[in-house]
Amino acid sequence: MWCTVALGLLLPFSYAHTDFFTSIGHMTDLINTEKDLVVSLKDYIKAEESKLEQIKKWAEKLDQLTDTATKDPEGFLGHPVNAFKLMKRLNTEWGELESLVLKDMSDGFISNMTIQRQFFPNDEDQTGAAKALLRLQDTYNLDTDTLSRGNLPGVKHKSFLTAEDCFELGKIAYTEADYYHTELWMEQALKQLDEGEVSSADKVYILDYLSYAVYQQGDLRKAMMLTKRLLELDPEHQRANGNMKYFEYIMAKEKEANKSSTDSEDQLEKETEFKKKDYLPERRKYEMLCRGEGLKMTPRRQKRLFCRYYDGNRNPRYILGPVKQEDEWDKPRIVRFLDIISDEEIETVKELAKPRLSRATVHDPETGKLTTAHYRVSKSAWLSGYESPVVSRINTRIQDLTGLDVSTAEELQVANYGVGGQYEPHFDFGRKDEPDAFKELGTGNRIATWLFYMSDVSAGGATVFPEVGASVWPRKGTAVFWYNLFPSGEGDYSTRHAACPVLVGNKWVSNKWLHERGQEFRRPCTLSELE
Ligand code: OGA
Ligand code: FE2
């Protein structure tokens, strides 16, 4: 099982073209579209109902009339008006009724649907959203049942997965050759059906996938048992019958081989064990910190963390109204500013960013160029101080409170992480062994990071520092700040950090990356490199 866990983690999660699910900002548009479609569908139903109503009335009227007429046809037609009306009915009125029956009431709805469809999520979006769910399951140690019943912390709108949904998730894992999750989700689908859930999901299909996933993970006995169960439901199932024979054959062969087990297999197992260990530590630390576990702060160190009123080192703008500052961490020093951006400012920044949000990019360490990457799943936009007094005011605030020159900083980046959105461990600064990502800017390396939290997050979404075991939780209206470089200009590798996947809710942040140029007298170099 371990082996497949590692496999599941090693498999690259490709989010390359999937766009919708990376940002709740854009998904809310879909909700509105769906609402519009429901309205138009209801209009269609109304039109169809009124048409049927008309037809029904006609049928009832004719029913009575023909009843009377057939009882005494001659007497009936003896009345000249009846004779005339019969002619009129047959010549024109039945024709009109035919037109009514044939009349297409679905025009409005269908054209609406056709237009909206162009903007619907595609298969890639659906797969992306499913993979995000599987990732959350791993990061937050959620068992399949909890996820399926929707028992997540902090949820406002409880939602559960049907057996069919579970089957779908299992199939997506299967197409990714992720047999670990295939097994989990096929089992959940089966469990829900066994508990009596009414569903169109078919146990035979589920068992077919499940036994294969189990077989792929090397549990031959269980695969056989499941295949047996499948054959009880469908004794003629061709593949299952074939598999059963194959399993029996393999089993017999294994028994034979077991008698003369070799050392080289043990060796191979040891090697893969080593590789796994080699790969896992950071990922494991990262996931633990995301869950709020594994924090590395001793009470002794904690005692030295304080909170204070800060006036930006006697900055005239803050002497009379200092701001609240808390120490989040000691080494690297991370401070948090409280009530540092107002709700109105947040709204303005979000509104400015929304129309421009696009899939976040990262510097490819090989080429130094910007690309999208599976390890950074969010949407972002850049705001310049020129375009709004609010942005300009925010930039000044950062300058006042950090004592650093913001004229050499990058523009304000606004990022929105949807459910599953994340940014895996990274450095904000450029390393010496990489092509210089900031060469074009001509302002040196990223000396420091300022990060505003512009929303609370219901669950997940922490900023974590796996090297030092720190977690910083988003709190709306606050901001954190840390230096990425030592005063000498050397990178501080303890600042490696990540944005944990959002489990429930929606995360808005904005960051300002401050650069080295302009800070020469504000943060002078010291004598020792790593001081
Ligand atoms: C970043 C980053 C952390 C977060 O954008 O570089 O590290 O919590 N963000 O969003
Ligand atoms: Fe970062």
Side-chain angles (χ1 to χ4, degrees):
M1 191 68 63
W2 259 119
C3 170
T4 44
V5 177
L7 194 75
L9 296 173
L10 275 163
L11 280 172
F13 285 81
S14 157
Y15 292 101
H17 308 286
T18 48
D19 266 327
F20 272 115
F21 73 97
T22 58
S23 145
I24 291 209
H26 280 173
M27 286 205 286
T28 47
D29 294 347
L30 292 180
I31 297 268
N32 291 327
T33 304
E34 205 171 35
K35 176 84 201 150
D36 282 350
L37 280 180
V38 172
V39 170
S40 131
L41 179 63
K42 278 182 153 174
D43 286 346
Y44 159 67
I45 293 172
K46 245 190 234 146
E48 203 73 82
E49 272 172 354
S50 108
K51 172 177 143 181
L52 258 187
E53 208 48 50
Q54 272 175 277
I55 297 170
K56 238 172 99 194
K57 272 195 196 129
W58 169 265
E60 272 156 25
K61 193 179 97 184
L62 266 286
D63 195 25
Q64 271 181 8
L65 203 73
T66 48
D67 254 4
T68 331
T70 46
K71 274 189 197 119
D72 175 19
E74 277 179 26
F76 182 80
L77 289 173
H79 197 302
V81 169
N82 280 344
F84 164 69
K85 280 190 138 180
L86 178 66
M87 295 307 112
K88 179 167 168 259
R89 265 205 313 279
L90 291 176
N91 187 39
T92 57
E93 289 179 10
W94 274 104
E96 281 165 11
L97 182 79
E98 185 186 24
S99 308
L100 181 62
V101 169
L102 285 175
K103 192 168 169 195
D104 186 2
M105 312 304 283
S106 67
D107 260 14
F109 171 67
I110 293 297
S111 59
N112 213 340
M113 182 83 183
T114 314
I115 293 168
Q116 301 291 6
R117 251 241 175 83
Q118 303 172 67
F119 310 109
F120 274 12
N122 55 20
D123 282 355
E124 267 170 304
D125 289 303
Q126 189 177 333
T127 312
K131 286 198 273 185
L133 256 179
L134 302 182
R135 176 182 283 281
L136 288 173
Q137 179 178 18
D138 287 343
T139 306
Y140 294 104
N141 260 349
L142 303 169
D143 67 74
T144 319
D145 203 57
T146 307
L147 206 49
S148 179
R149 317 274 173 200
N151 293 324
L152 298 178
V155 291
K156 254 199 270 174
H157 305 279
K158 214 175 132 145
S159 177
F160 56 88
L161 296 169
T162 61
E164 189 129 8
D165 295 333
C166 296
F167 181 42
E168 192 59 38
L169 276 172
K171 273 198 289 194
I172 285 169
Y174 174 84
T175 52
E176 298 290 310
D178 171 0
Y179 301 118
Y180 168 70
H181 285 112
T182 311
E183 179 180 356
L184 289 178
W185 286 101
M186 291 299 171
E187 253 173 2
Q188 183 64 26
L190 212 54
K191 182 175 163 197
Q192 290 183 206
L193 291 181
D194 285 344
E195 286 168 2
E197 184 178 315
V198 183
S199 169
S200 59
D202 187 338
K203 278 189 192 178
V204 170
Y205 278 103
I206 297 173
L207 281 163
D208 197 11
Y209 278 98
L210 181 56
S211 61
Y212 184 75
V214 167
Y215 160 71
Q216 278 293 335
Q217 295 179 87
D219 192 343
L220 217 56
R221 249 164 250 284
K222 190 171 168 190
M224 264 177 109
M225 190 199 78
L226 291 162
T227 310
K228 223 179 253 169
R229 211 182 137 187
L230 191 164
L231 286 171
E232 276 161 23
L233 294 172
D234 182 3
E236 305 300 316
H237 198 286
Q238 238 177 15
R239 192 174 31 248
N241 275 308
N243 287 347
M244 202 62 186
K245 284 203 191 85
Y246 176 69
F247 291 154
E248 279 158 4
Y249 164 75
I250 295 280
M251 205 83 126
K253 228 171 93 174
E254 261 183 16
K255 259 190 202 140
E256 195 70 19
N258 267 353
K259 280 182 205 150
S260 54
S261 118
T262 57
D263 288 346
S264 66
E265 267 174 59
D266 291 349
Q267 186 62 30
L268 193 71
E269 212 161 290
K270 269 195 198 116
E271 267 168 29
T272 44
E273 187 73 17
F274 172 75
K275 274 197 198 125
K276 245 160 31 199
K277 284 222 176 90
D278 208 31
Y279 170 74
L280 277 175
E282 178 167 66
R283 169 113 229 143
R284 280 260 281 281
K285 270 190 248 171
Y286 159 55
E287 294 187 346
M288 278 176 78
L289 288 167
C290 288
R291 298 194 291 270
E293 300 163 13
L295 251 88
K296 281 210 203 113
M297 175 58 72
T298 59
R300 201 186 153 88
R301 279 166 62 199
Q302 179 136 37
K303 261 197 260 173
R304 289 193 217 121
L305 299 180
F306 293 102
C307 62
R308 63 189 70 81
Y309 279 106
Y310 184 66
D311 65 4
N313 221 353
R314 265 168 283 142
N315 185 301
R317 272 192 277 265
Y318 290 93
I319 289 181
L320 290 182
V323 294
K324 286 175 263 181
Q325 192 192 51
E326 286 177 355
D327 295 330
E328 277 283 342
W329 208 257
D330 48 1
K331 228 176 159 200
R333 181 154 193 251
I334 305 169
V335 292
R336 190 197 292 258
F337 294 91
L338 280 75
D339 298 322
I340 205 65
I341 182 166
S342 70
D343 286 354
E344 292 77 36
E345 286 170 330
I346 289 176
E347 277 320 302
T348 307
V349 168
K350 276 162 63 172
E351 287 314 313
L352 284 171
K354 268 180 195 167
R356 268 184 259 167
L357 286 179
S358 61
R359 182 72 196 272
T361 51
V362 292
H363 287 284
D364 183 331
E366 309 249 292
T367 62
K369 297 248 161 65
L370 289 171
T371 52
T372 60
H374 68 91
Y375 54 83
R376 186 175 189 189
V377 185
S378 63
K379 287 196 167 169
S380 57
W382 297 91
L383 301 183
S384 150
Y386 299 117
E387 58 191 298
S388 155
V390 171
V391 178
S392 163
R393 195 160 75 209
I394 287 171
N395 290 342
T396 308
R397 191 170 308 154
I398 296 172
Q399 172 156 300
D400 287 343
L401 293 171
T402 61
L404 297 175
D405 188 345
V406 286
S407 68
T408 56
E410 290 166 61
E411 290 183 332
L412 189 72
Q413 188 190 55
V414 182
N416 177 216
Y417 299 81
V419 168
Q422 59 158 3
Y423 192 176
E424 287 183 11
H426 64 279
F427 301 106
D428 281 354
F429 62 89
R431 262 86 57 232
K432 286 198 179 122
D433 56 353
E434 295 173 351
D436 186 357
F438 309 119
K439 197 171 180 174
E440 275 166 40
L441 299 176
T443 54
N445 212 341
R446 281 179 177 161
I447 192 171
T449 298
W450 177 287
L451 176 69
F452 283 112
Y453 293 110
M454 303 204 302
S455 69
D456 291 311
V457 183
S458 305
T463 310
V464 300
F465 296 71
E467 287 296 313
V468 296
S471 299
V472 178
W473 295 90
R475 269 148 66 189
K476 189 177 180 187
T478 71
V480 287
F481 173 77
W482 68 85
Y483 278 103
N484 294 305
L485 307 179
F486 292 111
S488 63
E490 281 300 307
D492 181 350
Y493 284 76
S494 72
T495 60
R496 192 168 169 82
H497 61 281
C500 297
V502 172
L503 177 58
V504 180
N506 177 19
K507 177 179 171 188
W508 284 91
V509 295
S510 60
N511 25 18
K512 192 85 180 160
W513 284 297
L514 297 131
H515 281 243
E516 287 176 294
R517 285 299 92 76
Q519 326 303 350
E520 293 83 355
F521 297 103
R522 294 170 180 257
R523 194 195 191 218
C525 194
T526 50
L527 290 178
S528 131
E529 259 189 6
L530 302 179
E531 189 180 316

